[in-house]
Amino acid sequence: MWERYHNAYPNVSLDLRQSYTLKMADALQAGKLDLFIGVDVPAASNLNMIPLASEYLFCLIHDNILKECCPNHWQELLNKSATEGLDVSDLKDFPILLLASDNRIRSLLDRAYDRCGIMPKTILEASDQNIIYQLACSGQGAAFLPPMILFNHQKGAITWPENCHCLRMNHSFSKIDISLVYRNDLILPHYAEGMKKAITQEFHSYAMAMKPIS
């Protein structure tokens, strides 16, 4: 995406930031950002939100962790994942790597755990999805992540990490909506309009790559 954008706007420098959706929304309202990509963004009268993707969380589990925690019924767990999707209660005995508490995906998971009346066996909390992903891939615990993390790490090819299972979660609780957000009470500079176009094109490529597993 950067290469596509930079070719069109070679004299524009960008300030790219990574943070939580709510913090980015606050920064946008304060005039510190032109636009941002967020997850389950709260509506506001002065915000325009362009839907980019709707997808469902998966649970990334290394094969060693799967068979250690479910020595007698790990195949049943895989079958349930493939047919109806798992609930967090199905993974109550697994060590869990969680995103930090102010992450929108974490809020979704907290509600799912509350509904089941259980607490996750949390072994680590981290604010960076990439850290969670890498630790899960190395068999340190199970992690709930969005499919976008696979797209980023597999260079656009949706393939499972080696020796890992990407278990589908039940769609009744695991949906996340990704949007491009900007204010409608301000005129975006031309370079920001160009970024909007580059982002929507990138997510179109992502949607095409996701089709085989959607």
Side-chain angles (χ1 to χ4, degrees):
M1 184 178 71
W2 163 246
E3 182 178 356
R4 184 187 304 123
Y5 180 82
H6 185 62
N7 288 339
Y9 298 89
N11 298 318
V12 173
S13 61
L14 296 179
D15 178 12
L16 298 178
R17 305 180 189 181
Q18 181 175 343
S19 187
Y20 304 125
T21 291
L22 296 181
K23 290 182 178 179
M24 299 288 269
D26 288 343
L28 183 70
Q29 295 287 18
K32 297 177 181 179
L33 295 177
D34 291 315
L35 44 80
F36 73 94
I37 299 170
V39 173
D40 293 341
V41 182
S45 60
N46 70 330
L47 295 184
N48 280 346
M49 290 188 276
I50 300 175
L52 296 174
S54 291
E55 56 190 22
Y56 299 89
L57 297 181
F58 68 91
C59 188
L60 179 61
I61 301 178
H62 194 279
D63 190 64
N64 292 344
I65 295 286
L66 176 68
K67 293 175 181 176
E68 177 184 329
C69 295
C70 299
N72 299 319
H73 62 279
W74 60 269
Q75 189 61 57
E76 295 174 19
L77 202 66
L78 293 181
N79 292 339
K80 183 177 180 181
S81 166
T83 55
E84 60 187 278
L86 303 178
D87 205 338
V88 292
S89 60
D90 294 312
L91 304 171
K92 64 182 186 302
D93 296 323
F94 285 76
I96 302 296
L97 304 160
L98 279 179
L99 291 164
S101 59
D102 50 359
N103 186 287
R104 298 290 281 179
I105 293 174
R106 170 64 181 277
S107 298
L108 183 152
L109 290 168
D110 286 345
R111 291 193 297 271
Y113 277 108
D114 287 344
R115 176 176 50 80
C116 293
I118 60 175
M119 293 285 291
K121 297 177 69 172
T122 308
I123 60 169
L124 176 75
E125 291 188 20
S127 58
D128 190 336
Q129 288 186 10
N130 294 306
I131 292 174
I132 297 291
Y133 173 88
Q134 290 161 6
L135 289 172
C137 286
S138 64
Q140 302 304 306
F144 300 101
L145 293 166
M148 177 64 72
I149 196 83
L150 290 175
F151 184 72
N152 291 340
H153 278 270
Q154 302 297 331
K155 297 182 173 60
I158 304 298
T159 57
W160 304 151
E162 187 176 359
N163 297 322
C164 288
H165 304 274
C166 292
L167 304 184
R168 300 172 191 268
M169 303 307 295
N170 191 288
H171 286 186
S172 64
F173 80 91
S174 63
K175 183 182 179 184
I176 56 176
D177 294 312
I178 303 172
S179 303
L180 173 62
V181 186
Y182 58 96
R183 288 173 57 172
N184 57 33
D185 56 350
L186 296 175
I187 298 176
L188 284 177
H190 72 285
Y191 59 81
E193 289 288 351
M195 179 55 73
K196 280 172 53 182
K197 181 178 179 181
I199 289 171
T200 53
Q201 289 174 339
E202 183 71 9
F203 270 85
H204 177 74
S205 299
Y206 171 62
M208 293 299 101
M210 281 296 296
K211 274 190 173 182
I213 64 167
S214 61

